[in-house]
């Protein structure tokens, strides 16, 4: 895929974040529920969208910055570092969640323990499906 096209897609996604965030804020201020989570979540989406839009315009202001960004994203060393970081994050999350499940069970928070168990199970299932797909492609 052309890198400029990839950048435009990212811009459209950022604009969608802003629109979705504004919609959440407006909707939940009209409804006036006691739960402010979705309104705060909408504000977070607006801020993230604005930051991404700003970054898009900074990257695309000249050809040199586009080329530097493309190199940064396609450099094999950077890709290897990102893959290693994702792998470590996956392992750390599974281990910490497993410890948390044991602690929650000891504290008799069975529902939280079950939810955390299900997230680990789902995460590992997605991992194995992705692994199997990648194994078949290679």
């Amino acid at each position: 895929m052309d890198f400029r096209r990839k950048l435009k897609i990212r811009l459209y996604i950022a604009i969608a974040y802003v629109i979705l965030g504004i919609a959440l804020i407006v909707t939940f201020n009209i409804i006036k529920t006691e739960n402010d989570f979705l309104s705060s979540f909408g504000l977070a989406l607006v801020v993230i969208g604005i930051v991404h839009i700003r970054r898009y315009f900074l990257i695309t202001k000249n050809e040199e910055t586009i080329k530097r960004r493309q190199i940064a994203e396609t450099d094999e060393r950077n890709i290897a570092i990102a893959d290693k970081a994702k792998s470590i994050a996956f392992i750390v999350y599974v281990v910490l969640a497993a410890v948390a499940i044991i602690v929650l069970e000891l504290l008799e928070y069975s529902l939280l323990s079950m939810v955390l168990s299900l997230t680990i199970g789902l995460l590992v299932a997605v991992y194995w499906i992705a692994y199997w797909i990648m194994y078949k492609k290679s």
Side-chain angles (χ1 to χ4, degrees), residues 19-133:
I19 293 169
L20 180 61
I22 291 171
L24 284 173
I25 291 169
V26 169
T27 301
F28 289 97
N29 280 329
I30 291 173
I31 294 174
K32 300 254 189 232
T33 63
E34 291 181 19
N35 186 355
D36 291 336
F37 171 76
L38 289 174
S39 183
S40 301
F41 185 66
L43 179 63
L45 283 175
V46 169
V47 170
I48 289 169
I50 290 170
V51 168
H52 281 274
I53 291 169
R54 181 181 175 275
R55 192 168 77 185
Y56 170 82
F57 284 117
L58 289 175
I59 290 171
T60 59
K61 69 180 177 181
N62 63 36
E63 286 296 320
E64 182 62 30
T65 55
I66 293 172
K67 187 158 182 66
R68 274 190 301 196
R69 186 66 190 182
Q70 183 175 9
I71 290 170
E73 289 187 22
T74 58
D75 181 48
E76 289 181 19
R77 181 174 177 267
N78 290 341
I79 293 171
I81 291 170
D83 287 344
K84 186 70 174 173
K86 290 174 194 172
S87 175
I88 291 170
F90 175 80
I91 292 167
V92 168
Y93 173 78
V94 170
V95 170
L96 289 177
V99 170
I101 289 168
I102 294 168
V103 170
L104 288 170
E105 277 297 326
L106 291 174
L107 296 174
E108 297 181 4
Y109 288 107
S110 296
L111 182 62
L112 290 174
S113 176
M114 178 67 74
V115 170
L116 204 50
S117 299
L118 291 173
T119 63
I120 290 177
L122 183 62
L123 187 62
V124 172
V126 169
Y127 169 79
W128 279 109
I129 291 168
Y131 180 85
W132 184 254
I133 291 169

Side-chain angles (χ1 to χ4, degrees), residues 11-22:
L11 173 66
Y12 298 145
I13 291 171
I15 292 169
Y17 283 167
V18 172
I19 293 169
L20 180 61
I22 291 171

